[in-house]
């Protein structure tokens, strides 16, 4: 009959092997992520060079439509309509 100590040593040896396997897998995944992160950072910087930045977060740049198709306005684009309302210049005469 096997001793309790022998069974525990056998179990410990199996656990140590599994830990070593998991560490190797974690190192491999970490190396892959480092490569992916570098590629993502390069792509993001290229997009930043091509696309203009918005003036304020969540608001489209003047004259450019946002995702809903609305156009942003600039202070120079707004004229007073006399009744307290503002109208975009060139959008029609009220």
């Amino acid at each position: 009959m096997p001793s309790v100590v022998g069974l525990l040593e056998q179990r410990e040896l199996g656990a140590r092997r599994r830990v070593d396997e998991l560490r190797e897998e974690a190192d491999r995944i970490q190396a892959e992520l480092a490569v992916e992160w570098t590629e993502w950072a390069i792509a993001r910087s290229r997009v930043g060079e091509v696309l203009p930045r918005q003036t304020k977060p969540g608001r489209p740049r003047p004259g450019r439509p946002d995702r809903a198709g609305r156009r942003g306005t600039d202070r120079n684009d707004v004229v007073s309509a006399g009744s307290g309302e503002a109208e975009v210049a060139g959008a029609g005469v009220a």
Side-chain angles (χ1 to χ4, degrees), residues 20 55 76 86 92:
D20 290 339
T55 54
N76 299 332

Side-chain angles (χ1 to χ4, degrees), residues 18-92:
R18 180 71 178 138
V19 166
D20 290 339
E21 291 170 2
L22 291 173
R23 283 188 178 148
E24 288 173 7
E25 184 179 359
D27 290 342
R28 181 185 54 78
I29 291 171
Q30 187 176 10
E32 288 178 20
L33 287 175
V35 170
E36 292 290 327
W37 180 258
T38 303
E39 290 174 0
W40 181 86
I42 291 169
R44 187 169 188 266
S45 68
R46 287 180 182 167
V47 168
E49 291 171 3
V50 173
L51 296 178
R53 293 182 184 252
Q54 290 186 346
T55 54
K56 291 183 182 177
R59 298 189 67 191
R61 294 190 67 174
R64 296 191 180 252
D66 64 3
R67 291 182 183 172
R70 298 180 299 248
R71 293 194 172 270
T73 57
D74 196 350
R75 287 184 183 170
N76 299 332
D77 293 341
V78 178
V79 293
S80 175
S83 63
E85 298 178 7
E87 183 179 314
V88 177

